[in-house]
Amino acid sequence: MTKFDGCVNFGLVFVGEVNVNSNELQKAWAYHDAADQLLNGRIQSFLIAQAFLVVGYAQILTAAAFPERLDLKVFLVGVSLLAMFLTLVMKSLSSQLSRGIRALKRDYLLHESHGDEVYKSYFSAVRGDGVEPTLDGFARGWTKVMPISFLVFWAAAAGYALYSISMTLSA
């Protein structure tokens, strides 16, 4: 039994023409929680993988024989390409999850007429005093801005490796 807008009902929330089963709202919360945890896990795994790739790149770059070894320079290009591929895969997968999370928020959790009022209040407070709940936020930065930043970094790293290869071949 739920209480909503002064009316007591048994499992259905009636707001204007829209009725949302409280079970549907609970399902939306379960899907949101699972997707949020999966997105956070992917972001953590991505950052760990990027850290390993940066350290590997730096180790090769600082090898004692690096200036004259062409194979090490070719390997740097390979590491950069692998990192760019990983970044694109992460961006694609995370964008899909982020779209799903935004849809759950828009259609259920933050919906104007039948959304979760407690979550709306929390979400508004997190975003700032008096700010209306929006669907953009922290996850959008991680699924759009960070991958582009890493792509730029790895493109520059690949460019440096290719430049280094060309210098070795011309010498």
Side-chain angles (χ1 to χ4, degrees):
M1 188 163 76
T2 61
K3 182 173 178 150
F4 192 82
D5 282 350
C7 301
V8 176
N9 59 62
F10 296 89
L12 283 182
V13 177
F14 294 96
V15 182
E17 296 293 319
V18 179
N19 62 350
V20 174
N21 188 322
S22 63
N23 190 34
E24 289 176 353
L25 197 56
Q26 290 175 347
K27 284 182 184 178
W29 268 116
Y31 293 142
H32 181 279
D33 185 44
D36 190 51
Q37 288 182 24
L38 184 57
L39 180 61
N40 287 326
R42 285 182 179 171
I43 289 170
Q44 290 171 359
S45 298
F46 172 72
L47 291 175
I48 291 168
Q50 290 291 328
F52 278 112
L53 288 166
V54 167
V55 168
Y57 187 94
Q59 287 288 324
I60 296 167
L61 191 61
T62 59
F66 179 77
E68 58 272 354
R69 291 207 35 205
L70 184 62
D71 60 332
L72 290 178
K73 295 174 183 181
V74 170
F75 193 69
L76 280 184
V77 173
V79 169
S80 300
L81 292 176
L82 174 66
M84 285 190 269
F85 175 74
L86 172 71
T87 302
L88 291 172
V89 168
M90 186 277 187
K91 182 180 179 341
S92 173
L93 294 175
S94 296
S95 293
Q96 291 172 351
L97 272 175
S98 186
R99 277 194 309 273
I101 290 169
R102 283 195 308 274
L104 287 171
K105 287 180 181 177
R106 180 188 62 238
D107 298 340
Y108 291 95
L109 306 176
L110 294 175
H111 194 274
E112 189 175 302
S113 61
H114 60 264
D116 185 332
E117 293 300 320
V118 174
Y119 186 62
K120 285 182 192 178
S121 176
Y122 163 77
F123 205 74
S124 181
V126 168
R127 304 295 288 164
D129 282 337
V131 175
E132 279 296 309
T134 64
L135 301 175
D136 294 333
F138 182 74
R140 181 164 289 220
W142 280 101
T143 59
K144 294 203 183 301
V145 175
M146 287 306 294
I148 291 170
S149 300
F150 277 108
L151 279 174
V152 168
F153 171 80
W154 286 114
Y160 175 76
L162 290 171
Y163 171 76
S164 183
I165 288 172
S166 70
M167 296 305 286
T168 301
L169 292 176
S170 66

